[in-house]
Amino acid sequence: YEEINSSLIGHLDPGGGFTADVVAHGTTAYLGTWGRPGLCPNTGVRAIEVADAANPESIGSFAGGDFPGTRAETLWIGPVTTEAFAGDLAVVALRLCDNDERGRLRSHFRGLAFYDLTNVEDPVLLSTWNSGDRTQGSNSVSVVQRADGILLVATTIRQSLLHTDGALGDVRFIDATNPASPVELADWDNRSDGRPVYGEYEEEELHAHSVTLSSDGLSAWVSHWDAGTILLDLEDPTNPAFAGAVGFLPDGEGNRHSSVIDEERALLIVNEEDFYPSDDDGHAVGWGTQHIYDVSDPTEPIEIAEFATARSTDEGELGFDGIYTIHDTILDGTVAISSWYSDGVRIVDLSDPAQPIEIGSFVPPRSRDPVNYWVAPNGATAF
């Protein structure tokens, strides 16, 4: 494996197939589960004690067996204090592993699960919120406690607008002030409520993939895939309003997967996830790019920089022996830490956001996917 300005200090194999999102809270790391048709490990969220980081220890799991046929891909965990609840809360996004039409007609639950994690080793299921019949379930989740006391939850239900024949948009907003009784406040979708989209796009490529709430819960950035990254005004969370957008190019791919906000410096960091690195069938060359915007005026974002690894862009040594696209990013001060599939974890200094500089990385050893789902463009199966 490759280490640049990073050191491997501990390792734990959680088992159970594919892993997904990881969230740290206190001295515990929580690891989500990915799944697909025909292979749904359904191991839920695994809790791993990392107080001694050199010797991580599994201490339990939740949201697995309670919800068969699902993957607990994305999660939010943090302290919450409302009139109805005080303690550590987990909000788990549950999405069907088999999300084709036949799978979506099954009776498996899909949506959000709310857990009391005050005692990490004894999670208590407080409630669930169902994303709706025929939907595939929640793909992302963002949670903020607003000054007006509302514990606001935002989630995306990919292709909800299509799967419900236009009845429910892909973006949902939920009042979880009492997490034992969450209430849906509104749904929103660019295709029904936002700006027009021009160009030759397939409607399924205009779905909402993820949503990120501002720290005050008064706005949100929605990664609406080929429709760009869209700003919503949530002053009234029962009536989300289109406030601006960036990144929609009539001749471009879009692929807006996720974003993070540096509110102190008014920066928006957007990730494009692209699994088609060649220019066949109208796809752009490369595995996607990270875009950095100045959002001093959030209704008029200004792009100030791009960042990509050498293997993910045709400006470097474009890689075909693995999958070199970006996924998600977290911010630690002025440092952006991104998961980059075969390029591992990349650590980028944004002290000068107009000049991103990679200062570290960690790439795990090459290995084969034991169920042969992931295959590189050149046919490689170990990367």
Side-chain angles (χ1 to χ4, degrees), residues 265 267-271 289-294 302-310 315 326 329 331 334-338 340 346-360:
R265 298 193 297 163
L267 299 175
L268 175 70
I269 300 169
V270 173
N271 296 334
T289 302
Q290 185 177 73
H291 299 267
I292 302 168
Y293 296 94
D294 179 342
I302 300 171
E303 184 163 358
I304 57 175
E306 293 183 354
F307 177 80
T309 63
E315 295 180 3
I326 192 172
T329 298
L331 287 176
T334 60
V335 174
I337 305 169
S338 300
W340 215 292
R346 317 307 292 197
I347 306 168
V348 177
D349 182 3
L350 295 179
S351 297
D352 177 359
Q355 299 289 332
I357 300 173
E358 183 171 314
I359 57 174

Side-chain angles (χ1 to χ4, degrees), residues 251-286:
D251 299 320
E253 281 194 88
N255 293 4
R256 294 305 174 100
H257 173 274
S258 57
S259 62
V260 291
I261 313 166
D262 180 341
E263 293 182 338
E264 184 174 340
R265 298 193 297 163
L267 299 175
L268 175 70
I269 300 169
V270 173
N271 296 334
E272 291 179 341
E273 184 183 65
D274 186 355
F275 289 105
Y276 302 97
S278 69
D279 58 0
D280 298 337
D281 300 323
H283 291 284
V285 176

Side-chain angles (χ1 to χ4, degrees), residues 121-145:
E121 298 186 29
D122 186 24
V124 177
L125 178 62
L126 297 173
S127 67
T128 58
W129 170 85
N130 195 318
S131 61
D133 294 341
R134 295 185 291 159
T135 66
Q136 57 180 283
S138 292
N139 189 67
S140 73
V141 63
S142 183
V143 181
V144 166
Q145 188 155 13

Side-chain angles (χ1 to χ4, degrees), residues 122-304:
D122 186 24
V124 177
L125 178 62
L126 297 173
S127 67
T128 58
W129 170 85
N130 195 318
S131 61
D133 294 341
R134 295 185 291 159
T135 66
Q136 57 180 283
S138 292
N139 189 67
S140 73
V141 63
S142 183
V143 181
V144 166
Q145 188 155 13
R146 298 176 18 138
D148 59 11
I150 295 175
L151 184 68
L152 185 62
V153 177
T155 186
T156 50
I157 316 298
R158 289 175 63 180
Q159 304 301 356
S160 175
L161 193 76
L162 296 184
H163 296 158
T164 63
D165 299 324
L168 294 170
D170 286 11
V171 189
R172 313 287 187 84
F173 296 98
I174 299 152
D175 182 348
T177 308
N178 179 1
S181 184
V183 177
E184 184 168 336
L185 299 175
D187 69 278
W188 191 92
D189 196 288
N190 184 67
R191 291 163 288 188
S192 55
D193 308 305
R195 62 177 179 170
V197 171
Y198 303 101
E200 296 182 2
Y201 284 89
E202 297 180 7
E203 189 172 12
E204 58 265 26
E205 292 300 310
L206 300 174
H207 68 269
H209 190 279
S210 63
V211 56
T212 304
L213 290 167
S214 62
S215 62
D216 58 11
L218 296 178
S219 64
W221 289 99
V222 181
S223 298
H224 228 295
W225 211 247
D226 285 356
T229 306
I230 295 171
L231 176 65
L232 295 181
D233 181 342
L234 299 177
E235 184 172 359
D236 176 2
T238 67
N239 186 28
F242 178 89
V246 67
F248 171 70
L249 302 174
D251 299 320
E253 281 194 88
N255 293 4
R256 294 305 174 100
H257 173 274
S258 57
S259 62
V260 291
I261 313 166
D262 180 341
E263 293 182 338
E264 184 174 340
R265 298 193 297 163
L267 299 175
L268 175 70
I269 300 169
V270 173
N271 296 334
E272 291 179 341
E273 184 183 65
D274 186 355
F275 289 105
Y276 302 97
S278 69
D279 58 0
D280 298 337
D281 300 323
H283 291 284
V285 176
W287 290 95
T289 302
Q290 185 177 73
H291 299 267
I292 302 168
Y293 296 94
D294 179 342
V295 287
S296 299
D297 178 356
T299 65
E300 296 288 342
I302 300 171
E303 184 163 358
I304 57 175

